[in-house]
């Protein structure tokens, strides 16, 4: 059975393009493999708290207050979801040239030294291995090429964070130019949808 973790992070509710794309991809996976187990973590709708002096110690060390214990429990739960997944699907809107802050807090809770990565004499080593990830990036502008490419602080950051944990087999599907008029937006969404349909076919074969 394939375990799929879907993470949504958009602040745009039902209007969210990334949420529509992750939902369509999940439906495709389910159609192809009705046994697939899909866990949905929507950090855009139910946000994860930012780290504070109280809670960062809990995630990195020992919880000493009720808030710290709650942060540790949430971190444990998010890491368990990550570890259980064969395929991780991330809906990632671009907010101010980076990932949504809601997605960043998810990373803040799952990157834990000694658990999802560790330092060795040879340097850092990711401990979340053997996974496939698909990152669906939605953007008003165009960053995969052209003059704004240098402003893309989203994809490199996500690549670094996933890679640091050992998730290196990652496919990026981009719906860009969403604010370049209705035709450009429809074409971008259709193209991303088609890319995801193709991936749905191969994902299950890879994870099986
Ligand atoms: C607060 C905010 C900041 C944004 N910043 C950018 C940006 O820096 N670059 C860009 O191309 N689009 C930006 N956008 C547009 C979104 O990336 C675009 O609307 C995308 O569809 C969002 O994904 P979603 O539809 O899943 O919410 C921003 C949107 C919001 C709400």
């Amino acid at each position: 059975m394939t375990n799929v973790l879907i993470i949504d992070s958009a602040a745009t509710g039902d209007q969210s393009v990334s949420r529509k794309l992750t939902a369509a991809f999940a439906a495709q996976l389910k159609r192809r493999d009705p046994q697939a187990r899909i866990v949905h973590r929507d950090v855009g709708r139910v946000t994860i708290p930012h780290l504070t002096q109280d809670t960062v110690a809990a995630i990195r060390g020992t919880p000493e207050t009720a808030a710290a214990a709650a942060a540790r429990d949430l971190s444990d739960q998010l890491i368990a979801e990550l570890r259980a997944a064969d395929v991780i699907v991330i809906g990632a809107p671009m907010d101010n040239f980076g990932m949504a802050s809601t997605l960043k807090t998810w990373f803040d809770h799952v990157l834990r030294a000694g658990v999802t990565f560790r330092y060795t004499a040879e340097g850092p080593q990711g401990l979340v291995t053997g996974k496939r990830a698909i990152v669906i990036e939605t953007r008003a502008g165009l960053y995969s090429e052209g003059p704004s490419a240098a402003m893309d602080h989203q994809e490199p950051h996500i690549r670094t964070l996933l890679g640091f944990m050992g998730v290196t087999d990652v496919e990026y599907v981009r719906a860009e130019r969403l604010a370049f008029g209705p035709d450009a937006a429809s074409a971008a969404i259709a193209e991303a949808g088609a890319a995801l349909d193709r991936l749905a076919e191969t994902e299950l074969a890879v994870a099986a």
Side-chain angles (χ1 to χ4, degrees), residues 10-12 15-19 93-97 138-141 143 178:
T12 47
Q15 299 308 310
S16 160
V17 176
S18 59
R19 198 172 269 117
M94 179 183 270
D95 277 1
N96 296 317
F97 308 103
T138 46
R139 297 137 167 219
Y143 302 88
L178 294 174

Side-chain angles (χ1 to χ4, degrees), residues 15-77:
Q15 299 308 310
S16 160
V17 176
S18 59
R19 198 172 269 117
K20 284 179 186 146
L21 289 168
T22 58
F25 186 61
Q28 274 282 15
L29 289 178
K30 203 71 187 162
R31 253 195 304 278
R32 286 167 194 279
D33 177 7
Q35 306 304 317
R37 183 170 167 269
I38 298 183
V39 170
H40 190 199
R41 171 67 63 173
D42 193 333
V43 299
R45 290 191 201 272
V46 180
T47 54
I48 294 173
H50 286 296
L51 297 181
T52 62
Q53 185 177 3
D54 201 20
T55 59
V56 73
I59 290 173
R60 301 273 164 142
T62 311
E64 284 174 3
T65 64
R72 177 61 169 247
D73 286 349
L74 178 58
S75 170
D76 286 346
Q77 193 183 339

